[in-house]
Amino acid sequence: KLSAASQQQPVMLMEQTAAAVTAFPRQENYHVLGSLLSRVPLELCCALDGQLLIDPVKSPHGHVFERASLAAALSRSGSRCPLTGQPLTLTECHRVPEVRRA
């Protein structure tokens, strides 16, 4: 005869599995999210990598970048705008909160 503790083990395992399944997004959810992101207007995407703008900054040359992407590009390029090749520092770029709120 099984003890009460050993009988509870499969039940606990099933509960843990159910919790894990609901805690992690399913493949269908990634498809829906990808579909939504593919329809984002270009003005809400980084001019450098095309990703959705989370912390947008605008260069003096008029290009809007994701701050982290621009910072990485500037460090690789020796402080040159990745699109124009002109000298540029992150401090010359200002935040664009209206893009973030769009």
Side-chain angles (χ1 to χ4, degrees):
K1 188 170 181 178
L2 294 173
S3 69
S6 61
Q7 287 177 345
Q8 286 182 327
Q9 214 169 15
V11 173
M12 290 174 41
L13 183 59
M14 286 175 36
E15 290 171 352
Q16 290 171 350
T17 303
V21 167
T22 57
F24 294 102
R26 295 184 178 171
Q27 193 65 31
E28 311 83 75
N29 295 344
Y30 289 120
H31 176 70
V32 170
L33 183 58
S35 175
L36 290 172
L37 289 175
S38 70
R39 292 182 268 163
V40 172
L42 288 178
E43 56 270 7
L44 300 179
C45 297
C46 176
L48 184 59
D49 62 13
Q51 297 297 312
L52 183 66
L53 293 165
I54 304 299
D55 187 10
V57 293
K58 190 172 192 173
S59 76
H61 312 118
H63 302 288
V64 179
F65 301 98
E66 174 59 29
R67 177 180 291 279
S69 296
L70 180 59
L74 291 173
S75 70
R76 287 190 306 268
S77 69
S79 296
R80 295 218 166 259
C81 176
L83 298 182
T84 66
Q86 297 177 351
L88 180 66
T89 63
L90 199 54
T91 57
E92 294 176 279
C93 301
H94 62 277
R95 286 203 153 121
V96 194
E98 60 273 10
V99 172
R100 188 175 180 181
R101 286 189 286 262

